[in-house]
Short mmCIF file of all heavy atoms in Angstrom, two decimals:
data_model
loop_
_atom_site.label_atom_id
_atom_site.label_comp_id
_atom_site.label_asym_id
_atom_site.label_seq_id
_atom_site.Cartn_x
_atom_site.Cartn_y
_atom_site.Cartn_z
N MET Z 1 -19.21 -31.27 35.66
CA MET Z 1 -17.74 -31.24 35.62
C MET Z 1 -17.27 -30.32 34.50
O MET Z 1 -17.72 -30.43 33.37
CB MET Z 1 -17.23 -32.67 35.41
CG MET Z 1 -15.72 -32.77 35.60
SD MET Z 1 -15.17 -34.48 35.40
CE MET Z 1 -15.32 -35.07 37.07
N SER Z 2 -16.38 -29.41 34.85
CA SER Z 2 -15.92 -28.44 33.86
C SER Z 2 -14.51 -28.79 33.39
O SER Z 2 -13.75 -29.44 34.08
CB SER Z 2 -15.95 -27.04 34.45
OG SER Z 2 -15.08 -26.96 35.56
N GLU Z 3 -14.19 -28.30 32.23
CA GLU Z 3 -12.87 -28.53 31.66
C GLU Z 3 -11.98 -27.33 31.95
O GLU Z 3 -12.40 -26.19 31.79
CB GLU Z 3 -13.01 -28.72 30.15
CG GLU Z 3 -11.71 -29.13 29.48
CD GLU Z 3 -11.89 -29.22 27.97
OE1 GLU Z 3 -12.75 -29.99 27.53
OE2 GLU Z 3 -11.17 -28.52 27.26
N TYR Z 4 -10.76 -27.62 32.40
CA TYR Z 4 -9.81 -26.54 32.69
C TYR Z 4 -8.57 -26.77 31.85
O TYR Z 4 -8.06 -27.88 31.80
CB TYR Z 4 -9.47 -26.56 34.18
CG TYR Z 4 -8.48 -25.47 34.57
CD1 TYR Z 4 -8.92 -24.17 34.75
CD2 TYR Z 4 -7.15 -25.77 34.73
CE1 TYR Z 4 -8.03 -23.18 35.09
CE2 TYR Z 4 -6.24 -24.78 35.07
CZ TYR Z 4 -6.69 -23.49 35.26
OH TYR Z 4 -5.80 -22.52 35.58
N ILE Z 5 -8.12 -25.75 31.16
CA ILE Z 5 -6.95 -25.88 30.30
C ILE Z 5 -5.70 -25.52 31.10
O ILE Z 5 -5.61 -24.45 31.68
CB ILE Z 5 -7.07 -24.95 29.06
CG1 ILE Z 5 -8.37 -25.21 28.31
CG2 ILE Z 5 -5.85 -25.12 28.15
CD1 ILE Z 5 -8.50 -26.59 27.73
N CYS Z 6 -4.73 -26.42 31.11
CA CYS Z 6 -3.46 -26.18 31.79
C CYS Z 6 -2.73 -25.02 31.11
O CYS Z 6 -2.55 -25.03 29.90
CB CYS Z 6 -2.60 -27.45 31.75
SG CYS Z 6 -0.95 -27.19 32.42
N PRO Z 7 -2.33 -24.00 31.89
CA PRO Z 7 -1.64 -22.85 31.29
C PRO Z 7 -0.22 -23.19 30.83
O PRO Z 7 0.40 -22.41 30.11
CB PRO Z 7 -1.63 -21.81 32.41
CG PRO Z 7 -1.74 -22.60 33.66
CD PRO Z 7 -2.52 -23.84 33.33
N HIS Z 8 0.28 -24.35 31.25
CA HIS Z 8 1.67 -24.70 30.93
C HIS Z 8 1.76 -25.56 29.67
O HIS Z 8 2.59 -25.32 28.80
CB HIS Z 8 2.31 -25.43 32.10
CG HIS Z 8 2.38 -24.57 33.34
ND1 HIS Z 8 3.36 -23.62 33.52
CD2 HIS Z 8 1.58 -24.49 34.42
CE1 HIS Z 8 3.16 -23.02 34.68
NE2 HIS Z 8 2.07 -23.52 35.24
N CYS Z 9 0.92 -26.59 29.58
CA CYS Z 9 1.04 -27.50 28.44
C CYS Z 9 -0.20 -27.49 27.54
O CYS Z 9 -0.18 -28.05 26.46
CB CYS Z 9 1.33 -28.92 28.93
SG CYS Z 9 0.02 -29.63 29.93
N GLY Z 10 -1.27 -26.83 28.00
CA GLY Z 10 -2.45 -26.68 27.17
C GLY Z 10 -3.37 -27.88 27.13
O GLY Z 10 -4.32 -27.90 26.35
N ASN Z 11 -3.09 -28.88 27.97
CA ASN Z 11 -3.95 -30.05 28.00
C ASN Z 11 -5.16 -29.78 28.89
O ASN Z 11 -5.08 -29.07 29.88
CB ASN Z 11 -3.17 -31.26 28.55
CG ASN Z 11 -2.27 -31.87 27.50
OD1 ASN Z 11 -2.71 -32.23 26.42
ND2 ASN Z 11 -1.00 -31.96 27.81
N PRO Z 12 -6.31 -30.35 28.53
CA PRO Z 12 -7.51 -30.14 29.34
C PRO Z 12 -7.49 -30.99 30.61
O PRO Z 12 -7.14 -32.16 30.57
CB PRO Z 12 -8.64 -30.58 28.41
CG PRO Z 12 -8.01 -31.55 27.48
CD PRO Z 12 -6.57 -31.16 27.34
N ILE Z 13 -7.86 -30.37 31.74
CA ILE Z 13 -7.96 -31.06 33.01
C ILE Z 13 -9.45 -31.19 33.33
O ILE Z 13 -10.15 -30.18 33.38
CB ILE Z 13 -7.24 -30.27 34.13
CG1 ILE Z 13 -5.85 -29.84 33.69
CG2 ILE Z 13 -7.20 -31.07 35.43
CD1 ILE Z 13 -4.90 -30.94 33.36
N TYR Z 14 -9.88 -32.40 33.56
CA TYR Z 14 -11.31 -32.61 33.80
C TYR Z 14 -11.65 -32.71 35.29
O TYR Z 14 -12.81 -32.67 35.65
CB TYR Z 14 -11.79 -33.87 33.07
CG TYR Z 14 -11.67 -33.72 31.57
CD1 TYR Z 14 -10.60 -34.27 30.89
CD2 TYR Z 14 -12.63 -32.99 30.87
CE1 TYR Z 14 -10.49 -34.11 29.51
CE2 TYR Z 14 -12.52 -32.82 29.50
CZ TYR Z 14 -11.45 -33.39 28.82
OH TYR Z 14 -11.33 -33.22 27.48
N ASP Z 15 -10.60 -32.84 36.14
CA ASP Z 15 -10.84 -32.94 37.57
C ASP Z 15 -10.93 -31.54 38.17
O ASP Z 15 -9.98 -30.77 38.15
CB ASP Z 15 -9.68 -33.73 38.21
CG ASP Z 15 -9.93 -34.00 39.69
OD1 ASP Z 15 -10.96 -33.51 40.21
OD2 ASP Z 15 -9.11 -34.69 40.31
N ASP Z 16 -12.11 -31.20 38.70
CA ASP Z 16 -12.33 -29.87 39.26
C ASP Z 16 -11.46 -29.60 40.48
O ASP Z 16 -11.15 -28.46 40.78
CB ASP Z 16 -13.80 -29.71 39.66
CG ASP Z 16 -14.67 -29.44 38.44
OD1 ASP Z 16 -14.15 -28.89 37.46
OD2 ASP Z 16 -15.86 -29.78 38.48
N ASP Z 17 -11.10 -30.65 41.21
CA ASP Z 17 -10.34 -30.49 42.45
C ASP Z 17 -8.84 -30.62 42.24
O ASP Z 17 -8.08 -30.48 43.19
CB ASP Z 17 -10.81 -31.52 43.48
CG ASP Z 17 -12.29 -31.34 43.81
OD1 ASP Z 17 -12.71 -30.18 43.94
OD2 ASP Z 17 -12.99 -32.35 43.93
N ALA Z 18 -8.40 -30.91 41.04
CA ALA Z 18 -6.98 -31.10 40.77
C ALA Z 18 -6.21 -29.79 40.96
O ALA Z 18 -6.63 -28.74 40.47
CB ALA Z 18 -6.78 -31.64 39.37
N LEU Z 19 -5.11 -29.85 41.70
CA LEU Z 19 -4.28 -28.66 41.90
C LEU Z 19 -3.05 -28.70 41.01
O LEU Z 19 -2.45 -27.67 40.74
CB LEU Z 19 -3.86 -28.56 43.37
CG LEU Z 19 -5.01 -28.32 44.36
CD1 LEU Z 19 -4.49 -28.41 45.79
CD2 LEU Z 19 -5.66 -26.96 44.14
N LEU Z 20 -2.68 -29.91 40.58
CA LEU Z 20 -1.52 -30.07 39.71
C LEU Z 20 -1.96 -30.68 38.39
O LEU Z 20 -2.86 -31.51 38.34
CB LEU Z 20 -0.47 -30.98 40.36
CG LEU Z 20 0.17 -30.46 41.66
CD1 LEU Z 20 1.05 -31.54 42.26
CD2 LEU Z 20 0.97 -29.20 41.41
N CYS Z 21 -1.32 -30.26 37.32
CA CYS Z 21 -1.61 -30.80 36.00
C CYS Z 21 -1.18 -32.26 35.94
O CYS Z 21 -0.08 -32.61 36.37
CB CYS Z 21 -0.86 -29.99 34.95
SG CYS Z 21 -1.03 -30.65 33.28
N MET Z 22 -2.05 -33.10 35.43
CA MET Z 22 -1.73 -34.54 35.35
C MET Z 22 -0.78 -34.84 34.19
O MET Z 22 -0.25 -35.93 34.09
CB MET Z 22 -3.02 -35.35 35.23
CG MET Z 22 -3.77 -35.18 33.92
SD MET Z 22 -5.28 -36.17 33.85
CE MET Z 22 -6.47 -35.06 34.62
N TYR Z 23 -0.57 -33.87 33.33
CA TYR Z 23 0.31 -34.08 32.16
C TYR Z 23 1.73 -33.57 32.41
O TYR Z 23 2.70 -34.25 32.14
CB TYR Z 23 -0.28 -33.40 30.93
CG TYR Z 23 -1.64 -33.95 30.56
CD1 TYR Z 23 -2.79 -33.26 30.91
CD2 TYR Z 23 -1.75 -35.16 29.87
CE1 TYR Z 23 -4.04 -33.76 30.58
CE2 TYR Z 23 -2.99 -35.67 29.54
CZ TYR Z 23 -4.12 -34.97 29.90
OH TYR Z 23 -5.35 -35.47 29.58
N CYS Z 24 1.86 -32.34 32.91
CA CYS Z 24 3.19 -31.75 33.10
C CYS Z 24 3.54 -31.56 34.57
O CYS Z 24 4.67 -31.26 34.89
CB CYS Z 24 3.29 -30.42 32.35
SG CYS Z 24 2.20 -29.14 32.98
N GLY Z 25 2.57 -31.75 35.47
CA GLY Z 25 2.85 -31.66 36.91
C GLY Z 25 2.94 -30.25 37.44
O GLY Z 25 3.21 -30.05 38.62
N GLU Z 26 2.69 -29.26 36.61
CA GLU Z 26 2.75 -27.87 37.06
C GLU Z 26 1.49 -27.50 37.83
O GLU Z 26 0.42 -28.06 37.60
CB GLU Z 26 2.88 -26.93 35.85
CG GLU Z 26 4.23 -27.02 35.14
CD GLU Z 26 5.35 -26.37 35.93
OE1 GLU Z 26 5.05 -25.56 36.85
OE2 GLU Z 26 6.52 -26.68 35.64
N SER Z 27 1.63 -26.52 38.73
CA SER Z 27 0.49 -26.04 39.48
C SER Z 27 -0.50 -25.37 38.53
O SER Z 27 -0.10 -24.63 37.63
CB SER Z 27 0.95 -25.04 40.55
OG SER Z 27 -0.18 -24.42 41.12
N LEU Z 28 -1.78 -25.62 38.76
CA LEU Z 28 -2.79 -25.03 37.90
C LEU Z 28 -3.17 -23.61 38.34
O LEU Z 28 -3.92 -22.93 37.66
CB LEU Z 28 -4.03 -25.92 37.88
CG LEU Z 28 -3.82 -27.30 37.25
CD1 LEU Z 28 -5.09 -28.13 37.38
CD2 LEU Z 28 -3.41 -27.19 35.80
N LYS Z 29 -2.64 -23.18 39.50
CA LYS Z 29 -2.86 -21.82 39.99
C LYS Z 29 -4.34 -21.46 39.99
O LYS Z 29 -4.77 -20.51 39.35
CB LYS Z 29 -2.06 -20.82 39.15
CG LYS Z 29 -0.56 -20.99 39.32
CD LYS Z 29 0.19 -20.03 38.40
CE LYS Z 29 1.70 -20.23 38.55
NZ LYS Z 29 2.45 -19.44 37.58
N ARG Z 30 -5.10 -22.28 40.71
CA ARG Z 30 -6.54 -22.05 40.76
C ARG Z 30 -6.90 -20.69 41.35
O ARG Z 30 -7.94 -20.13 41.03
CB ARG Z 30 -7.20 -23.15 41.63
CG ARG Z 30 -7.07 -24.54 41.05
CD ARG Z 30 -8.11 -24.77 39.97
NE ARG Z 30 -8.03 -26.14 39.49
CZ ARG Z 30 -8.79 -26.62 38.51
NH1 ARG Z 30 -9.67 -25.85 37.93
NH2 ARG Z 30 -8.67 -27.85 38.11
N ASP Z 31 -6.01 -20.16 42.24
CA ASP Z 31 -6.33 -18.89 42.90
C ASP Z 31 -6.40 -17.74 41.90
O ASP Z 31 -7.17 -16.81 42.06
CB ASP Z 31 -5.32 -18.59 44.02
CG ASP Z 31 -3.88 -18.68 43.56
OD1 ASP Z 31 -3.61 -19.44 42.61
OD2 ASP Z 31 -3.03 -17.98 44.12
N VAL Z 32 -5.56 -17.80 40.86
CA VAL Z 32 -5.60 -16.76 39.84
C VAL Z 32 -6.25 -17.28 38.56
O VAL Z 32 -6.26 -16.61 37.55
CB VAL Z 32 -4.20 -16.20 39.52
CG1 VAL Z 32 -3.67 -15.40 40.70
CG2 VAL Z 32 -3.25 -17.32 39.15
N GLY Z 33 -6.80 -18.49 38.66
CA GLY Z 33 -7.38 -19.11 37.48
C GLY Z 33 -8.84 -18.80 37.26
O GLY Z 33 -9.48 -19.36 36.39
N VAL Z 34 -9.40 -17.88 38.08
CA VAL Z 34 -10.82 -17.56 37.96
C VAL Z 34 -11.10 -16.95 36.59
O VAL Z 34 -12.04 -17.33 35.91
CB VAL Z 34 -11.25 -16.60 39.08
CG1 VAL Z 34 -12.70 -16.18 38.90
CG2 VAL Z 34 -11.04 -17.24 40.44
N PHE Z 35 -10.24 -16.02 36.18
CA PHE Z 35 -10.44 -15.37 34.89
C PHE Z 35 -10.17 -16.36 33.75
O PHE Z 35 -10.83 -16.31 32.73
CB PHE Z 35 -9.54 -14.14 34.77
CG PHE Z 35 -9.91 -13.07 35.75
CD1 PHE Z 35 -9.11 -12.81 36.84
CD2 PHE Z 35 -11.07 -12.34 35.57
CE1 PHE Z 35 -9.47 -11.83 37.76
CE2 PHE Z 35 -11.43 -11.35 36.48
CZ PHE Z 35 -10.62 -11.09 37.58
N GLY Z 36 -9.20 -17.25 33.99
CA GLY Z 36 -8.92 -18.28 33.00
C GLY Z 36 -10.10 -19.20 32.82
O GLY Z 36 -10.43 -19.59 31.71
N LYS Z 37 -10.77 -19.50 33.93
CA LYS Z 37 -11.95 -20.36 33.87
C LYS Z 37 -13.06 -19.69 33.09
O LYS Z 37 -13.72 -20.30 32.26
CB LYS Z 37 -12.45 -20.67 35.29
CG LYS Z 37 -11.81 -21.90 35.88
CD LYS Z 37 -12.57 -22.36 37.12
CE LYS Z 37 -12.46 -23.85 37.29
NZ LYS Z 37 -13.30 -24.34 38.37
N ILE Z 38 -13.26 -18.40 33.36
CA ILE Z 38 -14.30 -17.65 32.64
C ILE Z 38 -13.97 -17.63 31.15
O ILE Z 38 -14.82 -17.79 30.30
CB ILE Z 38 -14.41 -16.23 33.22
CG1 ILE Z 38 -14.99 -16.28 34.64
CG2 ILE Z 38 -15.29 -15.34 32.32
CD1 ILE Z 38 -14.86 -14.98 35.40
N LYS Z 39 -12.68 -17.45 30.88
CA LYS Z 39 -12.22 -17.31 29.51
C LYS Z 39 -12.34 -18.63 28.72
O LYS Z 39 -12.72 -18.61 27.57
CB LYS Z 39 -10.75 -16.89 29.55
CG LYS Z 39 -10.35 -15.96 28.43
CD LYS Z 39 -8.93 -15.46 28.72
CE LYS Z 39 -8.37 -14.67 27.58
NZ LYS Z 39 -6.99 -14.25 27.89
N TYR Z 40 -12.00 -19.74 29.38
CA TYR Z 40 -11.86 -20.97 28.63
C TYR Z 40 -13.01 -21.96 28.80
O TYR Z 40 -13.26 -22.76 27.90
CB TYR Z 40 -10.57 -21.68 29.04
CG TYR Z 40 -9.33 -20.91 28.68
CD1 TYR Z 40 -8.50 -20.40 29.66
CD2 TYR Z 40 -8.99 -20.69 27.33
CE1 TYR Z 40 -7.35 -19.69 29.34
CE2 TYR Z 40 -7.86 -19.99 27.00
CZ TYR Z 40 -7.03 -19.49 28.00
OH TYR Z 40 -5.91 -18.78 27.68
N THR Z 41 -13.70 -21.93 29.94
CA THR Z 41 -14.64 -23.02 30.19
C THR Z 41 -16.10 -22.65 30.04
O THR Z 41 -16.83 -23.33 29.34
CB THR Z 41 -14.42 -23.64 31.57
OG1 THR Z 41 -14.57 -22.63 32.55
CG2 THR Z 41 -13.05 -24.29 31.67
N LYS Z 42 -16.53 -21.56 30.69
CA LYS Z 42 -17.96 -21.31 30.71
C LYS Z 42 -18.32 -19.89 30.26
O LYS Z 42 -19.02 -19.17 30.97
CB LYS Z 42 -18.50 -21.54 32.12
CG LYS Z 42 -18.38 -22.97 32.59
CD LYS Z 42 -18.80 -23.08 34.05
CE LYS Z 42 -18.64 -24.50 34.53
NZ LYS Z 42 -18.87 -24.61 35.98
N PRO Z 43 -17.88 -19.47 29.10
CA PRO Z 43 -18.21 -18.10 28.67
C PRO Z 43 -19.70 -17.90 28.44
O PRO Z 43 -20.25 -16.86 28.76
CB PRO Z 43 -17.42 -17.93 27.37
CG PRO Z 43 -17.16 -19.31 26.88
CD PRO Z 43 -17.06 -20.17 28.11
N LYS Z 44 -20.36 -18.93 27.91
CA LYS Z 44 -21.80 -18.81 27.63
C LYS Z 44 -22.60 -18.68 28.91
O LYS Z 44 -23.53 -17.88 28.98
CB LYS Z 44 -22.27 -20.04 26.84
CG LYS Z 44 -21.93 -19.95 25.36
CD LYS Z 44 -22.43 -21.17 24.62
CE LYS Z 44 -21.95 -21.14 23.18
NZ LYS Z 44 -22.28 -22.37 22.47
N ILE Z 45 -22.24 -19.47 29.94
CA ILE Z 45 -22.96 -19.43 31.21
C ILE Z 45 -22.78 -18.07 31.87
O ILE Z 45 -23.74 -17.50 32.40
CB ILE Z 45 -22.48 -20.58 32.13
CG1 ILE Z 45 -22.95 -21.92 31.55
CG2 ILE Z 45 -22.99 -20.39 33.56
CD1 ILE Z 45 -22.30 -23.13 32.18
N ILE Z 46 -21.56 -17.52 31.81
CA ILE Z 46 -21.29 -16.20 32.40
C ILE Z 46 -22.11 -15.14 31.68
O ILE Z 46 -22.77 -14.31 32.31
CB ILE Z 46 -19.78 -15.86 32.30
CG1 ILE Z 46 -18.92 -16.92 33.01
CG2 ILE Z 46 -19.49 -14.45 32.84
CD1 ILE Z 46 -19.07 -16.98 34.52
N ILE Z 47 -22.09 -15.16 30.35
CA ILE Z 47 -22.83 -14.17 29.55
C ILE Z 47 -24.32 -14.29 29.83
O ILE Z 47 -25.01 -13.29 30.03
CB ILE Z 47 -22.51 -14.36 28.04
CG1 ILE Z 47 -21.06 -13.95 27.76
CG2 ILE Z 47 -23.48 -13.54 27.18
CD1 ILE Z 47 -20.52 -14.44 26.43
N MET Z 48 -24.82 -15.54 29.87
CA MET Z 48 -26.24 -15.75 30.13
C MET Z 48 -26.63 -15.24 31.51
O MET Z 48 -27.70 -14.66 31.69
CB MET Z 48 -26.58 -17.25 30.03
CG MET Z 48 -26.76 -17.70 28.58
SD MET Z 48 -26.81 -19.49 28.42
CE MET Z 48 -28.40 -19.83 29.16
N THR Z 49 -25.76 -15.44 32.51
CA THR Z 49 -26.02 -14.95 33.86
C THR Z 49 -26.07 -13.43 33.89
O THR Z 49 -26.97 -12.83 34.48
CB THR Z 49 -24.93 -15.46 34.83
OG1 THR Z 49 -24.85 -16.87 34.73
CG2 THR Z 49 -25.23 -15.05 36.26
N VAL Z 50 -25.11 -12.79 33.21
CA VAL Z 50 -25.05 -11.32 33.17
C VAL Z 50 -26.28 -10.77 32.46
O VAL Z 50 -26.93 -9.85 32.94
CB VAL Z 50 -23.74 -10.86 32.48
CG1 VAL Z 50 -23.77 -9.35 32.22
CG2 VAL Z 50 -22.52 -11.21 33.33
N VAL Z 51 -26.61 -11.36 31.31
CA VAL Z 51 -27.78 -10.92 30.54
C VAL Z 51 -29.05 -11.13 31.37
O VAL Z 51 -29.92 -10.26 31.41
CB VAL Z 51 -27.86 -11.70 29.20
CG1 VAL Z 51 -29.21 -11.44 28.51
CG2 VAL Z 51 -26.72 -11.28 28.27
N GLY Z 52 -29.14 -12.26 32.06
CA GLY Z 52 -30.29 -12.55 32.91
C GLY Z 52 -30.45 -11.52 34.01
O GLY Z 52 -31.56 -11.07 34.29
N LEU Z 53 -29.35 -11.13 34.63
CA LEU Z 53 -29.38 -10.12 35.70
C LEU Z 53 -29.81 -8.76 35.14
O LEU Z 53 -30.58 -8.05 35.78
CB LEU Z 53 -28.00 -10.01 36.36
CG LEU Z 53 -27.64 -11.14 37.33
CD1 LEU Z 53 -26.18 -11.05 37.71
CD2 LEU Z 53 -28.51 -11.08 38.58
N ILE Z 54 -29.33 -8.42 33.95
CA ILE Z 54 -29.69 -7.14 33.33
C ILE Z 54 -31.18 -7.12 33.01
O ILE Z 54 -31.89 -6.15 33.31
CB ILE Z 54 -28.84 -6.90 32.05
CG1 ILE Z 54 -27.39 -6.62 32.44
CG2 ILE Z 54 -29.40 -5.73 31.23
CD1 ILE Z 54 -26.40 -6.72 31.29
N VAL Z 55 -31.66 -8.23 32.43
CA VAL Z 55 -33.09 -8.34 32.09
C VAL Z 55 -33.93 -8.28 33.36
O VAL Z 55 -34.94 -7.58 33.41
CB VAL Z 55 -33.35 -9.66 31.31
CG1 VAL Z 55 -34.85 -9.91 31.17
CG2 VAL Z 55 -32.68 -9.61 29.94
N LEU Z 56 -33.50 -8.97 34.40
CA LEU Z 56 -34.23 -9.00 35.67
C LEU Z 56 -34.31 -7.60 36.29
O LEU Z 56 -35.37 -7.18 36.74
CB LEU Z 56 -33.53 -9.97 36.63
CG LEU Z 56 -34.31 -10.34 37.90
CD1 LEU Z 56 -35.45 -11.30 37.56
CD2 LEU Z 56 -33.39 -10.97 38.93
N SER Z 57 -33.18 -6.88 36.28
CA SER Z 57 -33.17 -5.53 36.86
C SER Z 57 -34.02 -4.59 36.02
O SER Z 57 -34.68 -3.70 36.55
CB SER Z 57 -31.73 -5.01 36.96
OG SER Z 57 -31.13 -4.98 35.69
N PHE Z 58 -34.04 -4.79 34.70
CA PHE Z 58 -34.86 -3.98 33.81
C PHE Z 58 -36.34 -4.22 34.09
O PHE Z 58 -37.13 -3.28 34.19
CB PHE Z 58 -34.52 -4.31 32.35
CG PHE Z 58 -35.31 -3.49 31.36
CD1 PHE Z 58 -34.99 -2.15 31.14
CD2 PHE Z 58 -36.37 -4.05 30.65
CE1 PHE Z 58 -35.70 -1.39 30.25
CE2 PHE Z 58 -37.10 -3.29 29.75
CZ PHE Z 58 -36.77 -1.96 29.54
N VAL Z 59 -36.71 -5.51 34.26
CA VAL Z 59 -38.10 -5.86 34.56
C VAL Z 59 -38.52 -5.25 35.89
O VAL Z 59 -39.62 -4.69 36.01
CB VAL Z 59 -38.26 -7.42 34.57
CG1 VAL Z 59 -39.60 -7.82 35.18
CG2 VAL Z 59 -38.12 -7.97 33.16
N LEU Z 60 -37.66 -5.34 36.91
CA LEU Z 60 -37.95 -4.77 38.21
C LEU Z 60 -38.11 -3.24 38.10
O LEU Z 60 -38.97 -2.64 38.75
CB LEU Z 60 -36.84 -5.12 39.20
CG LEU Z 60 -36.83 -6.57 39.70
CD1 LEU Z 60 -35.56 -6.86 40.48
CD2 LEU Z 60 -38.04 -6.89 40.54
N LEU Z 61 -37.30 -2.63 37.27
CA LEU Z 61 -37.35 -1.18 37.05
C LEU Z 61 -38.68 -0.77 36.42
O LEU Z 61 -39.28 0.24 36.78
CB LEU Z 61 -36.19 -0.77 36.13
CG LEU Z 61 -35.61 0.62 36.34
CD1 LEU Z 61 -34.73 0.64 37.58
CD2 LEU Z 61 -34.78 1.03 35.13
N VAL Z 62 -39.16 -1.61 35.50
CA VAL Z 62 -40.43 -1.33 34.81
C VAL Z 62 -41.61 -1.51 35.78
O VAL Z 62 -42.55 -0.72 35.79
CB VAL Z 62 -40.58 -2.26 33.58
CG1 VAL Z 62 -41.98 -2.17 33.02
CG2 VAL Z 62 -39.54 -1.91 32.53
N ILE Z 63 -41.54 -2.57 36.62
CA ILE Z 63 -42.63 -2.86 37.55
C ILE Z 63 -42.77 -1.76 38.59
O ILE Z 63 -43.87 -1.28 38.87
CB ILE Z 63 -42.40 -4.23 38.23
CG1 ILE Z 63 -42.57 -5.36 37.19
CG2 ILE Z 63 -43.38 -4.45 39.40
CD1 ILE Z 63 -42.09 -6.71 37.66
N PHE Z 64 -41.64 -1.35 39.17
CA PHE Z 64 -41.70 -0.33 40.24
C PHE Z 64 -41.58 1.08 39.69
O PHE Z 64 -40.63 1.53 39.24
CB PHE Z 64 -40.62 -0.63 41.29
CG PHE Z 64 -40.86 -1.94 41.97
CD1 PHE Z 64 -40.03 -3.03 41.71
CD2 PHE Z 64 -41.92 -2.11 42.85
CE1 PHE Z 64 -40.24 -4.25 42.35
CE2 PHE Z 64 -42.13 -3.33 43.48
CZ PHE Z 64 -41.30 -4.40 43.22
ZN1 ZN W 101 0.15 -29.12 32.12
#
């Protein structure tokens, strides 16, 4: 379960499926919240995935 920060009131939302903020009732705008999610919730996982892909492609480049 990931934490999502409401763009309106700044409170953390712990429900992944929630479309409305439980504090202020505003829409969480999940459709445009992808970048917000990357920014606020899982920066380490994104960076690790990118680094992993770079390392993997480098290893493949060395092998072939
Ligand atoms: Zn809110």
Side-chain angles (χ1 to χ4, degrees):
M1 190 178 270
S2 62
E3 187 183 303
Y4 180 80
I5 306 297
C6 174
H8 298 280
C9 63
N11 281 305
I13 312 299
Y14 296 100
D15 186 357
D16 282 333
D17 299 318
L19 294 173
L20 296 173
C21 175
M22 68 180 87
Y23 299 100
C24 65
E26 291 287 342
S27 171
L28 295 176
K29 293 177 182 174
R30 295 280 184 183
D31 52 332
V32 290
V34 176
F35 294 107
K37 271 194 150 186
I38 291 167
K39 215 172 172 182
Y40 295 114
T41 58
K42 296 174 182 173
K44 280 181 186 173
I45 291 168
I46 302 293
I47 290 164
M48 279 168 71
T49 306
V50 170
V51 169
L53 283 170
I54 290 165
V55 170
L56 192 74
S57 59
F58 181 75
V59 168
L60 286 170
L61 211 76
V62 169
I63 291 168
F64 296 109

